[in-house]
Amino acid sequence: MRWFAALASLGLSTCVHRVSEVDAPRTVVLVAKAIRTMDPRRPVAQALAMRDGRIIAVGSRAEVLAQAGEGALVEEYPSSTIVPGLVDAHGHLAALGDALATVSLASATTEEDAVSLLSRAETMGGWLVGAGWDQNRWETKALPRRESLDGAFPATPVLLHRVDGHALWVNSEALRRAGITAETADPAGGRILRDAAGAPTGVLVDNAMALVASRVPAVSPEERRRRLSRAIETCARLGLTGVHDAGLDLETLRVLQEWDMKSLLPIRVYAMAQGQGPEAEELLGMGPFRGSRVELRAVKFLLDGGLGSRGAALLAPYSDEPSQSGLLVLEAAAFEARARRFAQAGFQVAVHAIGDRANALALDVLTRLSTERPGSRNRVEHAQVLKLDDVPRFAAAGIIASFQPTHATSDMPWAQARLGAERVRGAYAWRAVLDTGARVAFGSDFPVEDPNPLWGLYAARTRMDRSGQPPSGWTPEQRVTGEEALAGFTTGAAWASFAEEHAGQLIAGFDADFVVLPVDPVTDDPRSLLEARVELTVVGGVDVYRADRPR
Ligand SMILES: [Zn+2]
C-alpha cells in the first residue's frame, strides 16, 4: 500500500527508507476481527483509523469509518487481531546483531556436540567466536573444559560466550594469548575456574571474562552497523515496535541517532546508558536526550552475575554448591554513589539484579533514590530471585519490576536445584509482584533468549517451555493472565519508558504503533502463539514489516 513505507533490503549501512513523505497524507482504516486496545474504557474494538502517524479513531467499524471520512483507505483483516505495538523492555540490539552473525551453540546437547558445531564457523580476525552454550542443557550438566576445544583447535584461539553472557569457555591458545596461567589472580568480581592443581580449566566467570575478551580484534564499524541493522530488522519482523536497550555503548547510540535523524530507523529505541563502563562519564556529561525514535533517559547498572553460572549474588549459599554464594560485581557504596549522580542528572536508574542479595541491595538504593526524586520510576532489571519480604517493596517505592518471562521457562530445569524449594517461591515471581500493585514490564533479554515477543506472551501465561513442559506449568501460581501478559509488553513497557501518554494503548491521539497477529494473544489457546507469524508491524503509521510482501 502506498501509505506504508517499503523496508529496503538492508544494505551495509541503512535500515529502511520511507516513501510516505512523498505521498499525500491520507487516512487509513484497519478493520479486524478484534482490536485489543488496552484501553480499560473500551478494551475491544473492531476498527481503527490513523493519519500522520497517529491514531485518530478507535471503535466499531461504522463509528471509525464515519470519523475517517470519505477517501480513507480501508484494509480488512477479518481473521486477525490487532494489538498495540509490542515493546521488549529489556533487550540488547548490538548483542543480538553479534549473535545473528556468530556461530550459535544453543542446539548442542553435549560438550562434544558444541565443539563439532564450531567446525562450520569462520574465524574473525584470527579468532573463533561463538555463543549460546549452556551446560545445563547437556547430558552431564558439567561445565566445559579447554581440553575439548584444544583437540580440534590447537592453534586457533577460541572464545565462546555462555548463553547468559556471564561466562566464557576458551581454549588453551586463547588463555596463552591472554597470558592467563595458574599464577594469574582472579580479578575483583570475577573467577578463573581452576582444576585441583590450580590450572585454569577454560571457563572464566563475570569480571574475569575481559581478560580474554579484550584480546579479540574489534569488528569493523561497517560490520557493526550491518549487524545492528539486521537485529533491528529482526525485531520489526517479530512484531516489536520498540526495544528498551539495556546498556548501549556510545558508538551504537550514535549510529541509532544518525539513522533516527535520517528517518531510517523502523522501530523505537529507549536506551539505557552503561553506568559502570568506561563511557559512563561521557554519558553523564551528555545527559538525557530525546530524538524522534531514539531516546536516552535511563542508565543501567549491573550488580551481579547469572544464576546459571552461579554468579548471581545470594544471601545464603547455593543449594547445589554450598561453598558459593555468587558475586556482587559492583560494591554497594560505589553503586549508590554512581547511581545517585545519574539520578541527579535526570536519568532513570535501572539495575540488573538476579540473586536475592543483589535485589535487596537494588531495592535499598532505588528506594532511597525514589524518595529523593519522586516520580523517577527506577527499575530493577530481571528481579529474578526475591526474598519474600522484598516482594512488596516495588509497589511501595514506585519501582518497576522488569521481568523476562522466557528466563523462567529456560531456567526451570535447574533453578530449583540452585535455590532450593523455599527460595524458589520468590523466583520469577511475576504474579506475586503484580498482586502488590507494582508496575511490571516484560521483555526477553535477547540475545540471551529469543527476541520473539509471542514466545514471551506464551511463557508468561503458561510457565511452560515450548514443548509444553511441565504440563501444568512450573510454579504455576506465578502465571499471569493473557491480558496481564500483553500489558507487560505494551502498557507496562510504556510506563517504564515514560511513554504512557502516547504509547502502549490504541487510543485516539496515540502513536500509530501496532501489530496485526493471526491469533488473539489474550483469549486464544496460548499454544497458538508458538507458531504464529506476525502479519504486519506498523510504527508511527508506517509499515515496517509486512508478511505478505517478502523482501
Ligand atoms: Zn540483559
Side-chain angles (χ1 to χ4, degrees):
M1 310 307 287
R2 286 172 62 236
W3 54 279
F4 284 122
L7 183 67
S9 66
L10 295 173
L12 278 177
S13 61
T14 58
C15 294
V16 58
H17 70 91
R18 280 191 208 195
V19 295
S20 56
E21 291 93 327
V22 298
D23 294 342
R26 189 172 185 188
T27 301
V28 179
V29 173
L30 285 92
V31 183
K33 186 174 80 176
I35 298 180
R36 295 257 162 219
T37 65
M38 301 309 288
D39 175 1
R41 294 165 301 178
R42 185 165 197 165
V44 182
Q46 285 71 50
L48 65 79
M50 62 180 176
R51 186 182 177 90
D52 296 336
R54 297 202 180 274
I55 308 278
I56 59 165
V58 181
S60 70
R61 180 194 184 96
E63 286 167 341
V64 169
L65 286 175
Q67 286 184 62
E70 283 186 22
L73 181 68
V74 180
E75 290 218 354
E76 305 271 359
Y77 294 92
S79 57
S80 306
T81 301
I82 298 178
V83 299
L86 300 171
V87 174
D88 191 313
H90 184 119
H92 303 272
L93 287 168
L96 177 61
D98 290 343
L100 292 169
T102 52
V103 60
S104 169
L105 305 175
S107 63
T109 53
T110 63
E111 182 171 347
E112 297 69 40
D113 202 14
V115 175
S116 68
L117 284 170
L118 292 169
S119 62
R120 287 184 245 131
E122 292 170 30
T123 58
M124 284 185 294
W127 285 65
L128 196 54
V129 178
W133 62 272
D134 180 357
Q135 84 282 3
N136 293 310
R137 291 189 207 143
W138 300 346
E139 285 149 18
T140 60
K141 317 276 188 229
L143 283 164
R145 299 178 60 89
R146 63 188 159 90
E147 290 84 353
S148 55
L149 293 170
D150 291 347
F153 305 99
T156 304
V158 181
L159 178 149
L160 307 168
H161 297 268
R162 194 177 184 281
V163 63
D164 63 359
H166 287 285
L168 289 180
W169 169 24
V170 300
N171 66 348
S172 295
E173 178 61 13
L175 290 170
R176 190 187 68 76
R177 295 201 187 191
I180 297 175
T181 66
E183 280 70 53
T184 308
D186 287 354
R191 275 208 294 162
I192 300 167
L193 301 196
R194 300 165 198 270
D195 62 21
T201 64
V203 173
L204 308 167
V205 178
D206 288 317
N207 287 355
M209 300 193 301
L211 298 175
V212 176
S214 61
R215 305 297 167 126
V216 180
V219 175
S220 73
E222 295 71 32
E223 171 66 8
R224 282 199 293 277
R225 292 163 78 97
R226 199 188 62 78
R227 291 180 181 188
L228 187 60
S229 271
R230 198 171 155 206
I232 289 167
E233 184 191 26
T234 297
C235 291
R237 178 170 51 79
L238 294 172
L240 290 171
T241 60
V243 168
H244 298 187
D245 196 301
L248 271 179
D249 62 277
L250 266 173
E251 182 191 336
T252 302
L253 190 61
R254 289 189 175 127
V255 172
L256 291 173
Q257 284 179 296
E258 178 196 320
W259 289 346
D260 189 30
M261 286 192 306
K262 294 177 179 169
S263 297
L264 296 174
L265 196 55
I267 66 171
R268 302 181 199 274
V269 180
Y270 181 78
M272 305 180 206
Q274 293 174 353
Q276 66 212 86
E279 298 170 339
E281 288 301 321
E282 196 172 345
L283 286 156
L284 195 53
M286 284 166 49
F289 73 84
R290 184 170 183 181
S292 170
R293 291 190 174 176
V294 176
E295 181 172 10
L296 173 71
R297 184 164 177 176
V299 60
K300 185 189 153 198
F301 293 92
L302 191 82
L303 280 189
D304 66 346
L307 201 58
S309 51
R310 297 189 187 84
L314 297 179
L315 292 161
Y318 279 86
S319 299
D320 58 356
E321 193 173 346
S323 66
Q324 295 294 327
S325 300
L327 300 161
L328 276 182
V329 298
L330 187 56
E331 191 260 324
F335 159 53
E336 180 157 3
R338 284 168 188 248
R340 181 168 285 108
R341 286 182 70 206
F342 273 93
Q344 287 168 345
F347 286 87
Q348 174 193 43
V349 178
V351 185
H352 159 119
I354 304 278
D356 52 7
R357 182 178 169 213
N359 273 285
L361 172 60
L363 287 164
D364 288 346
V365 171
L366 293 185
T367 297
R368 283 194 284 276
L369 294 181
S370 301
T371 308
E372 289 162 25
R373 301 177 62 83
S376 48
R377 301 191 192 177
N378 297 316
R379 41 197 280 183
V380 179
E381 302 301 315
H382 313 305
Q384 210 165 86
V385 184
L386 300 172
K387 192 163 54 115
L388 292 178
D389 294 349
D390 281 345
V391 168
R393 297 178 68 194
F394 292 87
I399 295 167
I400 295 158
S402 172
F403 289 126
Q404 297 75 39
T406 44
H407 276 339
T409 52
S410 294
D411 299 356
M412 64 189 180
W414 45 264
Q416 179 142 347
R418 294 276 190 283
L419 298 170
E422 181 58 26
R423 275 188 300 204
V424 99
R425 293 170 57 214
Y428 317 88
W430 319 321
R431 169 90 273 145
V433 171
L434 269 174
D435 285 347
T436 63
R439 302 276 184 173
V440 166
F442 281 159
S444 68
D445 203 8
F446 65 70
V448 179
E449 305 286 349
D450 192 283
N452 187 342
L454 304 185
W455 292 1
L457 291 167
Y458 165 84
R461 289 175 64 186
T462 64
R463 306 271 287 196
M464 290 180 201
D465 67 18
R466 294 198 294 281
S467 64
Q469 296 300 319
S472 54
W474 180 64
T475 53
E477 63 276 12
Q478 298 295 346
R479 281 188 301 225
V480 303
T481 65
E483 187 97 16
E484 288 166 334
L486 186 57
F489 285 99
T490 56
T491 51
W495 178 266
S497 58
F498 301 87
E500 76 281 1
E501 286 178 5
H502 59 90
Q505 296 169 279
L506 296 173
I507 295 179
F510 274 44
D511 298 337
D513 291 6
F514 55 84
V515 187
V516 181
L517 299 172
V519 296
D520 186 326
V522 173
T523 53
D524 283 353
D525 184 330
R527 282 173 299 186
S528 64
L529 289 160
L530 294 175
E531 300 301 323
R533 302 267 173 162
V534 167
E535 295 172 352
L536 178 64
T537 307
V538 174
V539 178
V542 173
D543 165 2
V544 296
Y545 171 72
R546 182 184 278 275
D548 63 3
R549 196 167 60 179
R551 285 170 287 111

